[in-house]
mmCIF file with all atom_site columns, all heavy atoms in Angstrom:
data_model
loop_
_atom_site.group_PDB
_atom_site.id
_atom_site.type_symbol
_atom_site.label_atom_id
_atom_site.label_alt_id
_atom_site.label_comp_id
_atom_site.label_asym_id
_atom_site.label_entity_id
_atom_site.label_seq_id
_atom_site.pdbx_PDB_ins_code
_atom_site.Cartn_x
_atom_site.Cartn_y
_atom_site.Cartn_z
_atom_site.occupancy
_atom_site.B_iso_or_equiv
_atom_site.pdbx_formal_charge
_atom_site.auth_seq_id
_atom_site.auth_comp_id
_atom_site.auth_asym_id
_atom_site.auth_atom_id
_atom_site.pdbx_PDB_model_num
ATOM 1   N N   . HIS B 1 245 ? 13.418 -28.188 -16.592 1.00 0.00 ? 267 HIS B N   1
ATOM 2   C CA  . HIS B 1 245 ? 13.421 -28.742 -15.227 1.00 0.00 ? 267 HIS B CA  1
ATOM 3   C C   . HIS B 1 245 ? 14.873 -28.808 -14.763 1.00 0.00 ? 267 HIS B C   1
ATOM 4   O O   . HIS B 1 245 ? 15.434 -29.875 -14.575 1.00 0.00 ? 267 HIS B O   1
ATOM 5   C CB  . HIS B 1 245 ? 12.766 -30.124 -15.222 1.00 0.00 ? 267 HIS B CB  1
ATOM 6   C CG  . HIS B 1 245 ? 11.317 -30.091 -15.599 1.00 0.00 ? 267 HIS B CG  1
ATOM 7   N ND1 . HIS B 1 245 ? 10.343 -29.643 -14.741 1.00 0.00 ? 267 HIS B ND1 1
ATOM 8   C CD2 . HIS B 1 245 ? 10.683 -30.426 -16.745 1.00 0.00 ? 267 HIS B CD2 1
ATOM 9   C CE1 . HIS B 1 245 ? 9.160  -29.713 -15.335 1.00 0.00 ? 267 HIS B CE1 1
ATOM 10  N NE2 . HIS B 1 245 ? 9.337  -30.177 -16.569 1.00 0.00 ? 267 HIS B NE2 1
ATOM 11  N N   . SER B 1 246 ? 15.441 -27.625 -14.579 1.00 0.00 ? 268 SER B N   1
ATOM 12  C CA  . SER B 1 246 ? 16.888 -27.552 -14.385 1.00 0.00 ? 268 SER B CA  1
ATOM 13  C C   . SER B 1 246 ? 17.267 -27.462 -12.918 1.00 0.00 ? 268 SER B C   1
ATOM 14  O O   . SER B 1 246 ? 16.436 -27.144 -12.052 1.00 0.00 ? 268 SER B O   1
ATOM 15  C CB  . SER B 1 246 ? 17.431 -26.333 -15.131 1.00 0.00 ? 268 SER B CB  1
ATOM 16  O OG  . SER B 1 246 ? 16.847 -25.170 -14.592 1.00 0.00 ? 268 SER B OG  1
ATOM 17  N N   . GLY B 1 247 ? 18.537 -27.736 -12.658 1.00 0.00 ? 269 GLY B N   1
ATOM 18  C CA  . GLY B 1 247 ? 19.106 -27.545 -11.336 1.00 0.00 ? 269 GLY B CA  1
ATOM 19  C C   . GLY B 1 247 ? 18.575 -28.522 -10.305 1.00 0.00 ? 269 GLY B C   1
ATOM 20  O O   . GLY B 1 247 ? 17.841 -29.451 -10.616 1.00 0.00 ? 269 GLY B O   1
ATOM 21  N N   . GLU B 1 248 ? 18.955 -28.298 -9.073  1.00 0.00 ? 270 GLU B N   1
ATOM 22  C CA  . GLU B 1 248 ? 18.585 -29.205 -8.001  1.00 0.00 ? 270 GLU B CA  1
ATOM 23  C C   . GLU B 1 248 ? 17.121 -29.065 -7.592  1.00 0.00 ? 270 GLU B C   1
ATOM 24  O O   . GLU B 1 248 ? 16.586 -29.908 -6.889  1.00 0.00 ? 270 GLU B O   1
ATOM 25  C CB  . GLU B 1 248 ? 19.496 -28.995 -6.789  1.00 0.00 ? 270 GLU B CB  1
ATOM 26  C CG  . GLU B 1 248 ? 20.933 -29.410 -7.038  1.00 0.00 ? 270 GLU B CG  1
ATOM 27  C CD  . GLU B 1 248 ? 21.040 -30.876 -7.448  1.00 0.00 ? 270 GLU B CD  1
ATOM 28  O OE1 . GLU B 1 248 ? 21.137 -31.723 -6.552  1.00 0.00 ? 270 GLU B OE1 1
ATOM 29  O OE2 . GLU B 1 248 ? 21.017 -31.169 -8.662  1.00 0.00 ? 270 GLU B OE2 1
ATOM 30  N N   . LEU B 1 249 ? 16.474 -27.995 -8.010  1.00 0.00 ? 271 LEU B N   1
ATOM 31  C CA  . LEU B 1 249 ? 15.042 -27.851 -7.713  1.00 0.00 ? 271 LEU B CA  1
ATOM 32  C C   . LEU B 1 249 ? 14.192 -28.382 -8.862  1.00 0.00 ? 271 LEU B C   1
ATOM 33  O O   . LEU B 1 249 ? 12.977 -28.411 -8.805  1.00 0.00 ? 271 LEU B O   1
ATOM 34  C CB  . LEU B 1 249 ? 14.708 -26.398 -7.391  1.00 0.00 ? 271 LEU B CB  1
ATOM 35  C CG  . LEU B 1 249 ? 15.370 -25.953 -6.079  1.00 0.00 ? 271 LEU B CG  1
ATOM 36  C CD1 . LEU B 1 249 ? 15.580 -24.464 -6.031  1.00 0.00 ? 271 LEU B CD1 1
ATOM 37  C CD2 . LEU B 1 249 ? 14.569 -26.432 -4.876  1.00 0.00 ? 271 LEU B CD2 1
ATOM 38  N N   . PHE B 1 250 ? 14.859 -28.769 -9.940  1.00 0.00 ? 272 PHE B N   1
ATOM 39  C CA  . PHE B 1 250 ? 14.198 -29.361 -11.101 1.00 0.00 ? 272 PHE B CA  1
ATOM 40  C C   . PHE B 1 250 ? 13.162 -28.437 -11.733 1.00 0.00 ? 272 PHE B C   1
ATOM 41  O O   . PHE B 1 250 ? 12.135 -28.865 -12.228 1.00 0.00 ? 272 PHE B O   1
ATOM 42  C CB  . PHE B 1 250 ? 13.609 -30.741 -10.761 1.00 0.00 ? 272 PHE B CB  1
ATOM 43  C CG  . PHE B 1 250 ? 14.695 -31.749 -10.492 1.00 0.00 ? 272 PHE B CG  1
ATOM 44  C CD1 . PHE B 1 250 ? 15.272 -31.851 -9.240  1.00 0.00 ? 272 PHE B CD1 1
ATOM 45  C CD2 . PHE B 1 250 ? 15.181 -32.533 -11.521 1.00 0.00 ? 272 PHE B CD2 1
ATOM 46  C CE1 . PHE B 1 250 ? 16.316 -32.744 -9.011  1.00 0.00 ? 272 PHE B CE1 1
ATOM 47  C CE2 . PHE B 1 250 ? 16.235 -33.427 -11.305 1.00 0.00 ? 272 PHE B CE2 1
ATOM 48  C CZ  . PHE B 1 250 ? 16.807 -33.537 -10.051 1.00 0.00 ? 272 PHE B CZ  1
ATOM 49  N N   . THR B 1 251 ? 13.468 -27.158 -11.696 1.00 0.00 ? 273 THR B N   1
ATOM 50  C CA  . THR B 1 251 ? 12.693 -26.161 -12.423 1.00 0.00 ? 273 THR B CA  1
ATOM 51  C C   . THR B 1 251 ? 13.546 -24.914 -12.556 1.00 0.00 ? 273 THR B C   1
ATOM 52  O O   . THR B 1 251 ? 14.366 -24.620 -11.687 1.00 0.00 ? 273 THR B O   1
ATOM 53  C CB  . THR B 1 251 ? 11.370 -25.782 -11.724 1.00 0.00 ? 273 THR B CB  1
ATOM 54  O OG1 . THR B 1 251 ? 10.824 -24.618 -12.372 1.00 0.00 ? 273 THR B OG1 1
ATOM 55  C CG2 . THR B 1 251 ? 11.559 -25.472 -10.246 1.00 0.00 ? 273 THR B CG2 1
ATOM 56  N N   . ASP B 1 252 ? 13.340 -24.193 -13.663 1.00 0.00 ? 274 ASP B N   1
ATOM 57  C CA  . ASP B 1 252 ? 14.020 -22.901 -13.817 1.00 0.00 ? 274 ASP B CA  1
ATOM 58  C C   . ASP B 1 252 ? 13.053 -21.754 -13.484 1.00 0.00 ? 274 ASP B C   1
ATOM 59  O O   . ASP B 1 252 ? 13.378 -20.599 -13.686 1.00 0.00 ? 274 ASP B O   1
ATOM 60  C CB  . ASP B 1 252 ? 14.588 -22.748 -15.236 1.00 0.00 ? 274 ASP B CB  1
ATOM 61  C CG  . ASP B 1 252 ? 13.505 -22.733 -16.300 1.00 0.00 ? 274 ASP B CG  1
ATOM 62  O OD1 . ASP B 1 252 ? 12.306 -22.917 -15.952 1.00 0.00 ? 274 ASP B OD1 1
ATOM 63  O OD2 . ASP B 1 252 ? 13.824 -22.538 -17.490 1.00 0.00 ? 274 ASP B OD2 1
ATOM 64  N N   . PHE B 1 253 ? 11.869 -22.114 -12.970 1.00 0.00 ? 275 PHE B N   1
ATOM 65  C CA  . PHE B 1 253 ? 10.838 -21.146 -12.555 1.00 0.00 ? 275 PHE B CA  1
ATOM 66  C C   . PHE B 1 253 ? 10.398 -20.233 -13.701 1.00 0.00 ? 275 PHE B C   1
ATOM 67  O O   . PHE B 1 253 ? 9.885  -19.145 -13.475 1.00 0.00 ? 275 PHE B O   1
ATOM 68  C CB  . PHE B 1 253 ? 11.321 -20.288 -11.380 1.00 0.00 ? 275 PHE B CB  1
ATOM 69  C CG  . PHE B 1 253 ? 11.653 -21.099 -10.151 1.00 0.00 ? 275 PHE B CG  1
ATOM 70  C CD1 . PHE B 1 253 ? 12.960 -21.279 -9.744  1.00 0.00 ? 275 PHE B CD1 1
ATOM 71  C CD2 . PHE B 1 253 ? 10.643 -21.689 -9.400  1.00 0.00 ? 275 PHE B CD2 1
ATOM 72  C CE1 . PHE B 1 253 ? 13.269 -22.031 -8.621  1.00 0.00 ? 275 PHE B CE1 1
ATOM 73  C CE2 . PHE B 1 253 ? 10.939 -22.446 -8.275  1.00 0.00 ? 275 PHE B CE2 1
ATOM 74  C CZ  . PHE B 1 253 ? 12.255 -22.620 -7.881  1.00 0.00 ? 275 PHE B CZ  1
ATOM 75  N N   . SER B 1 254 ? 10.605 -20.674 -14.937 1.00 0.00 ? 276 SER B N   1
ATOM 76  C CA  . SER B 1 254 ? 10.140 -19.854 -16.065 1.00 0.00 ? 276 SER B CA  1
ATOM 77  C C   . SER B 1 254 ? 8.697  -20.239 -16.396 1.00 0.00 ? 276 SER B C   1
ATOM 78  O O   . SER B 1 254 ? 8.153  -21.204 -15.857 1.00 0.00 ? 276 SER B O   1
ATOM 79  C CB  . SER B 1 254 ? 11.038 -20.096 -17.280 1.00 0.00 ? 276 SER B CB  1
ATOM 80  O OG  . SER B 1 254 ? 10.953 -21.459 -17.659 1.00 0.00 ? 276 SER B OG  1
ATOM 81  N N   . PHE B 1 255 ? 8.104  -19.471 -17.280 1.00 0.00 ? 277 PHE B N   1
ATOM 82  C CA  . PHE B 1 255 ? 6.729  -19.730 -17.719 1.00 0.00 ? 277 PHE B CA  1
ATOM 83  C C   . PHE B 1 255 ? 6.787  -20.171 -19.169 1.00 0.00 ? 277 PHE B C   1
ATOM 84  O O   . PHE B 1 255 ? 7.371  -19.480 -20.017 1.00 0.00 ? 277 PHE B O   1
ATOM 85  C CB  . PHE B 1 255 ? 5.872  -18.474 -17.559 1.00 0.00 ? 277 PHE B CB  1
ATOM 86  C CG  . PHE B 1 255 ? 5.792  -18.031 -16.128 1.00 0.00 ? 277 PHE B CG  1
ATOM 87  C CD1 . PHE B 1 255 ? 6.735  -17.157 -15.603 1.00 0.00 ? 277 PHE B CD1 1
ATOM 88  C CD2 . PHE B 1 255 ? 4.808  -18.522 -15.291 1.00 0.00 ? 277 PHE B CD2 1
ATOM 89  C CE1 . PHE B 1 255 ? 6.702  -16.786 -14.268 1.00 0.00 ? 277 PHE B CE1 1
ATOM 90  C CE2 . PHE B 1 255 ? 4.754  -18.151 -13.956 1.00 0.00 ? 277 PHE B CE2 1
ATOM 91  C CZ  . PHE B 1 255 ? 5.715  -17.284 -13.439 1.00 0.00 ? 277 PHE B CZ  1
ATOM 92  N N   . ARG B 1 256 ? 6.196  -21.330 -19.443 1.00 0.00 ? 278 ARG B N   1
ATOM 93  C CA  . ARG B 1 256 ? 6.310  -21.877 -20.792 1.00 0.00 ? 278 ARG B CA  1
ATOM 94  C C   . ARG B 1 256 ? 5.009  -22.567 -21.200 1.00 0.00 ? 278 ARG B C   1
ATOM 95  O O   . ARG B 1 256 ? 4.286  -23.096 -20.353 1.00 0.00 ? 278 ARG B O   1
ATOM 96  C CB  . ARG B 1 256 ? 7.445  -22.904 -20.855 1.00 0.00 ? 278 ARG B CB  1
ATOM 97  C CG  . ARG B 1 256 ? 8.835  -22.314 -20.571 1.00 0.00 ? 278 ARG B CG  1
ATOM 98  C CD  . ARG B 1 256 ? 9.838  -23.417 -20.415 1.00 0.00 ? 278 ARG B CD  1
ATOM 99  N NE  . ARG B 1 256 ? 11.135 -22.944 -19.932 1.00 0.00 ? 278 ARG B NE  1
ATOM 100 C CZ  . ARG B 1 256 ? 12.189 -22.668 -20.708 1.00 0.00 ? 278 ARG B CZ  1
ATOM 101 N NH1 . ARG B 1 256 ? 12.089 -22.792 -22.023 1.00 0.00 ? 278 ARG B NH1 1
ATOM 102 N NH2 . ARG B 1 256 ? 13.328 -22.265 -20.191 1.00 0.00 ? 278 ARG B NH2 1
ATOM 103 N N   . ASN B 1 257 ? 4.776  -22.539 -22.491 1.00 0.00 ? 279 ASN B N   1
ATOM 104 C CA  . ASN B 1 257 ? 3.660  -23.287 -23.057 1.00 0.00 ? 279 ASN B CA  1
ATOM 105 C C   . ASN B 1 257 ? 4.216  -24.643 -23.471 1.00 0.00 ? 279 ASN B C   1
ATOM 106 O O   . ASN B 1 257 ? 5.032  -24.743 -24.381 1.00 0.00 ? 279 ASN B O   1
ATOM 107 C CB  . ASN B 1 257 ? 3.096  -22.531 -24.271 1.00 0.00 ? 279 ASN B CB  1
ATOM 108 C CG  . ASN B 1 257 ? 1.963  -23.292 -24.945 1.00 0.00 ? 279 ASN B CG  1
ATOM 109 O OD1 . ASN B 1 257 ? 1.742  -24.477 -24.688 1.00 0.00 ? 279 ASN B OD1 1
ATOM 110 N ND2 . ASN B 1 257 ? 1.250  -22.605 -25.826 1.00 0.00 ? 279 ASN B ND2 1
#
Side-chain angles (χ1 to χ4, degrees):
Chain B
H267 296 285
S268 62
E270 292 302 272
L271 293 155
F272 292 84
T273 169
D274 63 356
F275 299 108
S276 62
F277 299 89
R278 297 170 189 263
N279 178 346

